[in-house]
Amino acid sequence: MEYSGLLQQYAPVASEEFVASAVAKAAAGMDRNRNGEVYKFCFGALDLTTLSGSDSVRSVTEFVGKASAVSSRYPGMPDVATVCVYPAFVDVAGLGVEGTNIGVTSVAGGFPAAQTYLEVKMLEVAMAVENGADEIDVVMNGGEMMEGDFDRLANDLELLRREAGNEVAFKVIIESGMLRTPEEVYRASVLAILSGADFVKTSTGKTACGATPAAAAVICSAIKDYYLRTGTRVGIKLAGGIRTVEDAVLYYTLVEDMLGREWLIPSLFRIGASAPLANALLAAVTGDAQPYF
């Protein structure tokens, strides 16, 4: 498909002032969302992540086992939305969440840099789905994005979307910290959506700059523009350096302001984070300051 022409139908974010204003508004409105119900929601919207070079069958099994036991140890707490693992651990994670409402997310497609053969990316996505992944997170090629090779970039993503299949939630990571301007973040978000993303995700968490409120505001703007054109809702996933309850509440408030409460459901709002944020949210709700994960 020819994506460059489609992209021209979407006006980029007007200015950095627009972004700064949206972030300032959210920061000023956070008080209304500093409460237990929001903390519970954010916990239930977690893609609880372990993507370490030291991951093993044993460590992933233990990690997923703890995730599966949260609601029994802390009655009233929701399950996390998914556990997020490398492709080699999808089957291990699937066994660990069996009998719960927790899904399995797999990074795939040459994560975290997308710098490998397209055929390898396609095979990795297909194998992760075959082994039981409910959701797939792939990375947009940052070099192609920054050089303006939009057609190649988006057509490759479209192939990965097809490989994942329509029953699997498909999240595209734009690596927003690599992009230099709000316009680039906007274009990357629109290209992700046009190529089949169910969610636009900020970051891999493997670069120096992860999620930022400014990037989240631009992604929300792209999602809103697409919704106004098509009536189709696309989700947002914030990931990369989100560790505190205050971080989670700020992003929650920003999405509420820019997209509306309709987006504040786990099928449209996710936070990708590891143990620190999960522990912080648990402590904020239960009062148990002892780290669980």
Side-chain angles (χ1 to χ4, degrees):
M1 186 182 291
E2 197 276 312
Y3 283 93
S4 298
L6 288 175
L7 189 59
Q8 298 309 311
Q9 299 175 20
Y10 290 82
V13 171
S15 67
E16 293 186 1
E17 287 74 19
F18 168 87
V19 176
S21 175
V23 173
K25 179 183 177 185
M30 288 173 62
D31 277 351
R32 70 178 184 269
N33 292 322
R34 289 187 175 103
N35 60 71
E37 288 308 306
V38 170
Y39 304 156
K40 281 185 182 181
F41 170 80
C42 288
F43 187 87
L46 286 178
D47 285 350
L48 186 62
T49 301
T50 179
L51 296 173
S52 169
S54 61
D55 284 345
S56 65
V57 170
R58 179 177 177 178
S59 70
V60 171
T61 299
E62 291 176 353
F63 181 80
V64 173
K66 286 185 176 181
S68 299
V70 165
S71 57
S72 58
R73 176 162 175 174
Y74 298 104
M77 285 298 297
D79 288 329
V80 297
T82 75
V83 288
C84 181
V85 297
Y86 280 118
F89 301 111
V90 166
D91 54 349
V92 174
L95 288 172
V97 302
E98 194 170 358
T100 74
N101 294 318
I102 302 171
V104 176
T105 293
S106 176
V107 296
F111 181 94
Q115 299 290 5
T116 189
Y117 302 104
L118 177 60
E119 293 83 359
V120 172
K121 297 179 189 180
M122 293 170 67
L123 180 60
E124 191 173 52
V125 169
M127 290 179 69
V129 172
E130 184 177 352
N131 284 344
D134 303 293
E135 306 187 0
I136 293 289
D137 288 16
V138 303
V139 187
M140 176 178 286
N141 187 300
E144 291 172 355
M145 179 63 218
M146 294 173 73
E147 291 184 1
D149 195 356
F150 301 142
D151 290 341
R152 179 174 179 175
L153 176 154
N155 275 291
D156 285 0
L157 289 173
E158 183 182 337
L159 287 172
L160 298 182
R161 160 83 270 186
R162 291 179 187 172
E163 205 67 48
N166 292 330
E167 300 304 311
V168 172
F170 187 68
K171 310 190 198 90
V172 174
I173 306 164
I174 66 169
E175 203 66 277
S176 55
M178 186 184 298
L179 304 176
R180 296 160 293 201
T181 65
E183 183 173 342
E184 285 186 344
V185 175
Y186 182 89
R187 285 178 172 170
S189 302
V190 172
L191 285 168
I193 294 167
L194 293 175
S195 60
D198 297 306
F199 284 78
V200 180
K201 179 179 172 183
T202 51
S203 172
T204 60
K206 300 295 186 181
T207 59
C209 181
T212 65
V218 179
I219 294 169
C220 285
S221 180
I223 289 171
K224 183 173 183 179
D225 288 350
Y226 183 76
Y227 172 71
L228 292 174
R229 281 180 171 272
T230 67
T232 299
R233 292 187 174 97
V234 173
I236 181 170
K237 178 174 174 179
L238 298 316
I242 303 174
R243 295 183 176 88
T244 70
V245 172
E246 284 290 284
D247 292 337
V249 172
L250 176 57
Y251 287 115
Y252 177 100
T253 307
L254 184 63
V255 170
E256 182 181 41
D257 284 348
M258 296 193 69
L259 295 174
R261 294 195 60 81
E262 305 97 302
W263 261 263
L264 296 176
I265 53 176
S267 60
L268 291 171
F269 178 92
R270 295 286 178 80
I271 301 173
S274 53
L277 179 60
N279 286 330
L281 289 167
L282 277 172
V285 175
T286 67
D288 183 358
Q290 183 68 29
Y292 175 73
F293 290 99

